[in-house]
Amino acid sequence: MDGATPLSESELLFEDLVRSVHACDPIEVLEAADRYGRAIGLSKITVHLVDLQQHLLVPLTGGPILDIATTAAGEAYRHDTLRLVEGGAEELSLWLPLKDGADRMGVLHVRTSALDEPTLRRCQTLAALLALVITSKRAYSDTYVRRTRARSVQLRTEMLRAFLPPRTLGSARGVSTAVLEPAYELGGDAFDHSITRDVLHVVILDAMGHDLASGLTASVAMAGARGARRNGADLSQLTDSVEQALVTWLPERFCTAVFATLNLADGLFSWSNCGHPEPLLIRGGSLVDGAMCRPPELPLGLGGIVPDTPPRTVHRLRLEPGDRVLLYTDGVTEAHDREGRMFGLERFADFVIRAAAAEEPPPETLRRLIHSIRDHQGESFTDDATIMLVEWPPERRVPPPRSV
């Protein structure tokens, strides 16, 4: 086209990379990215994905497995920011976060002899592209999953994990993040969340038992909640839909749950509690005692057993900017050490309060918290432990545009 600015050589190379990834298999994508990196003057490009328990960063095309707690790569992952480290032979190591939206996937490692601003921008763009490509290809390929699992998972766990969404989602207007253990032997815990323009939807479930039927119960409940939500149901209708699904298809099973929404525009938090532990509200650096304590209601699935079950109640609470709401299963607070000492509600809330005071991102707070609970139990779980954290962030003021 007349008058169009011709593309630079690096732009043409990047276009070639973008076009080629559609026909590449999951590993060929990374090899193509490495070739692009060499063409623009980078020594080596390596992708590390986080393992199932968020302890390690696992390379996909060779290299050492890296510990998240003690390495520069782990620091980039933990703090969601790039890290630059001097290497040997006048080489620099650049670590960049890889993210699927708000969810942390791993890190991109770039080695180069020099780093200027244009090269840094190209590296950041490449990290964004690879995150999108990996997210797309792992939906239908087992390649990435196999690399990030240390051992086999049980059948009920595989079924539940097929339903689980990414650990974290959200935007500057609101965040939901979750963790659950034992990663390879889940029983009946599950979570779900979804975000639209103005509403964040969250679900936490704890199905009766620790067998295949408990995993099936949680899966049916989650599918019922998603189907109702996607059909435009409000919280009351959604809860009724899940109840009906369990009574119809699994009449001898039940589960506890909390279904909730957060209006991202005005901070209105609405929830229905079906026999589950009460949500906790953290505000201004402290736990607000009893803020979300409401009269208990029956678990889901008892409609065919208990006659004249009353309609579920939808509770409402207006959050303040910076508030955090904690949802959890009883396997969190009842986790116990060899002497029988419980992890407890006080220690659980205090951990999150201290992390909030340090301005730690919610996903990192939960990663460390679930590891702390695991350590308390001597590296084993006698019950599923699931935690969700919903944050309505303080208003972020946008600076006025600079005059030119």
Side-chain angles (χ1 to χ4, degrees), residues 77-90:
Y77 179 84
R78 297 194 314 270
H79 299 289
D80 189 22
T81 186
L82 63 87
R83 286 291 182 265
L84 185 63
V85 180
E86 291 186 4
E90 299 182 351

Side-chain angles (χ1 to χ4, degrees), residues 147-162:
R147 299 292 179 91
T148 54
R149 289 184 180 181
R151 54 192 172 90
S152 300
V153 303
Q154 296 182 349
L155 176 59
R156 65 175 186 261
T157 305
E158 194 69 68
M159 178 171 58
L160 278 173
R161 287 205 168 275

Side-chain angles (χ1 to χ4, degrees), residues 49-234:
L49 294 185
V50 66
D51 78 312
L52 198 59
Q53 295 179 296
Q54 297 189 88
H55 280 295
L56 306 169
L57 292 165
V58 182
L60 297 181
T61 54
I65 295 175
L66 303 173
D67 180 68
I68 289 177
T70 60
T71 61
E75 190 175 2
Y77 179 84
R78 297 194 314 270
H79 299 289
D80 189 22
T81 186
L82 63 87
R83 286 291 182 265
L84 185 63
V85 180
E86 291 186 4
E90 299 182 351
E91 186 173 67
L92 300 174
S93 278
L94 177 66
W95 300 93
L96 302 102
L98 284 175
K99 299 181 69 177
D100 174 14
D103 190 43
R104 304 179 298 178
M105 300 167 54
V107 293
L108 175 67
H109 184 202
V110 176
R111 290 186 283 274
T112 180
S113 59
L115 186 66
D116 55 17
E117 186 175 348
T119 302
L120 176 59
R121 288 200 302 269
R122 292 185 188 112
C123 292
Q124 291 170 324
T125 302
L126 181 59
L129 172 65
L130 287 175
L132 290 171
V133 172
I134 291 170
T135 299
S136 171
K137 291 186 180 294
R138 70 179 174 183
Y140 58 82
S141 172
D142 293 336
T143 299
Y144 303 138
V145 172
R146 292 179 64 183
R147 299 292 179 91
T148 54
R149 289 184 180 181
R151 54 192 172 90
S152 300
V153 303
Q154 296 182 349
L155 176 59
R156 65 175 186 261
T157 305
E158 194 69 68
M159 178 171 58
L160 278 173
R161 287 205 168 275
F163 275 93
L164 293 179
R167 280 183 291 260
T168 305
L169 59 79
S171 66
R173 303 174 68 203
V175 173
S176 172
T177 186
V179 289
L180 73 174
E181 283 278 2
Y184 296 92
E185 299 100 11
L186 288 176
D189 276 16
F191 70 89
D192 193 24
H193 43 203
S194 174
I195 191 168
T196 61
R197 180 180 179 88
D198 292 312
V199 180
L200 179 62
H201 302 261
V202 297
V203 177
I204 189 168
L205 299 160
D206 185 358
M208 173 190 73
H210 295 87
D211 53 15
L212 184 61
S214 62
L216 181 60
T217 303
S219 299
V220 168
M222 195 185 312
R226 284 180 178 170
R229 184 183 73 222
R230 291 165 181 172
N231 287 330
D234 60 23

Side-chain angles (χ1 to χ4, degrees), residues 217-290:
T217 303
S219 299
V220 168
M222 195 185 312
R226 284 180 178 170
R229 184 183 73 222
R230 291 165 181 172
N231 287 330
D234 60 23
L235 276 180
S236 180
Q237 294 167 332
L238 183 150
T239 307
D240 288 344
S241 294
V242 176
E243 173 76 27
Q244 190 59 44
L246 291 177
V247 169
T248 301
W249 300 108
L250 296 164
E252 297 182 357
R253 310 293 297 194
F254 68 87
C255 71
T256 68
V258 174
F259 305 100
T261 61
L262 171 62
N263 188 305
L264 300 174
D266 61 15
L268 182 63
F269 189 83
S270 306
W271 77 100
S272 181
N273 189 338
C274 307
H276 204 77
E278 299 162 359
L280 304 178
L281 175 63
I282 294 176
R283 171 178 292 165
S286 62
L287 175 66
V288 184
D289 288 333

